[in-house]
């Protein structure tokens, strides 16, 4: 589950103060090394890659093109899951995270998602070294990390 703590990895860039108790609490006071970097960061949320809003998708590609410093246009992008068309043997090992038996795991993952969403929005995005495209949309997508997707399924059952 630790791999889902994206904000821990992002914090290692040293782009935020990490001086307030609240910020450190969101980072679980991790003990990973933090080496402040002068590098600029272009932050995306995976849904931006397959955004169906053509205008926003074009803005995203143009912003990315500008950030990496190329002149040619980037093609439309699409996020594809490796699990989209699994073979039967792999499918046997799949789990439905919404199954009751995975409730404790889902609680941990939701805690990670909530903390990551809050830390990224409250601290990381404020750094002048962090660039984003369509900030409002990005923040809306990060907000979805705080909502358990299984709640909708349980309510409709």
């Amino acid at each position: 589950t630790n791999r889902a703590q994206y904000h821990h990895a992002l914090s290692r860039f040293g782009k935020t103060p990490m001086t307030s108790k609240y910020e450190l609490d969101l980072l679980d006071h991790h003990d990973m090394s933090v080496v402040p970097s002068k590098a600029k960061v272009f932050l995306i949320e995976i849904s931006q890659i397959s955004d169906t809003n053509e205008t926003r998708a074009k803005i995203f590609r143009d912003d990315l093109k500008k950030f990496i410093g190329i002149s040619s246009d980037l093609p439309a992008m699409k996020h594809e899951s490796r699990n989209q068309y699994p073979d039967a043997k792999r499918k046997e090992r799949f789990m439905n995270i919404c199954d009751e038996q995975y409730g404790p795991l889902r609680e941990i993952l939701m805690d990670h998602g909530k903390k990551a969403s809050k830390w990224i929005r409250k601290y990381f995005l404020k750094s002048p070294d962090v660039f984003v495209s369509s900030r409002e949309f990005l923040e809306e997508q990060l907000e979805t990390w705080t909502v358990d997707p299984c709640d909708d399924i349980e309510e409709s059952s």
Side-chain angles (χ1 to χ4, degrees):
T1 61
N2 288 341
R3 293 175 97 181
Q5 294 175 312
Y6 304 117
H7 58 313
H8 287 195
L10 292 172
S11 73
R12 298 184 72 195
F13 285 112
K15 301 295 183 189
T16 69
M18 291 199 280
T19 54
S20 77
K21 181 179 179 334
Y22 183 66
E23 180 178 9
L24 293 171
D25 286 347
L26 290 173
L27 292 168
D28 299 314
H29 299 266
H30 72 67
D31 59 358
M32 293 185 278
S33 62
V34 175
V35 180
S37 168
K38 293 180 182 179
K40 306 294 184 199
V41 177
F42 189 87
L43 182 72
I44 67 167
E45 202 278 342
I46 197 71
S47 61
Q48 289 180 284
I49 291 176
S50 54
D51 190 355
T52 56
N53 178 310
E54 290 296 326
T55 303
R56 204 169 43 222
K58 172 82 168 96
I59 291 169
F60 172 77
R61 291 191 307 273
D62 289 345
D63 288 345
L64 182 57
K65 175 177 96 170
K66 181 179 176 184
F67 181 80
I68 60 178
I70 61 173
S71 57
S72 54
D73 287 340
L74 293 170
M77 299 177 209
K78 182 179 174 197
H79 172 250
E80 292 188 21
S81 171
R82 292 183 306 192
N83 298 327
Q84 195 168 8
Y85 303 105
D87 59 54
K89 191 160 185 83
R90 275 186 73 197
K91 195 167 185 163
E92 287 174 14
R93 297 190 321 238
F94 280 15
M95 62 182 240
N96 182 345
I97 193 71
C98 295
D99 287 350
E100 190 175 328
Q101 69 189 27
Y102 300 116
L105 171 61
R106 198 169 73 244
E107 265 184 55
I108 292 168
L109 293 173
M110 286 304 307
D111 182 59
H112 292 343
K114 288 174 184 176
K115 287 179 178 177
S117 173
K118 287 177 187 168
W119 181 82
I120 292 168
R121 289 180 289 126
K122 184 167 177 60
Y123 296 100
F124 196 65
L125 293 182
K126 290 185 178 171
S127 169
D129 289 341
V130 175
F131 297 87
V132 299
S133 182
S134 303
R135 184 184 196 95
E136 187 176 317
F137 178 67
L138 174 82
E139 290 197 42
E140 286 171 9
Q141 296 311 301
L142 290 170
E143 181 68 29
T144 68
W145 294 12
T146 69
V147 179
D148 187 337
C150 299
D151 287 348
D152 288 340
I153 295 168
E154 291 167 5
E155 289 172 9
S156 64
S157 298

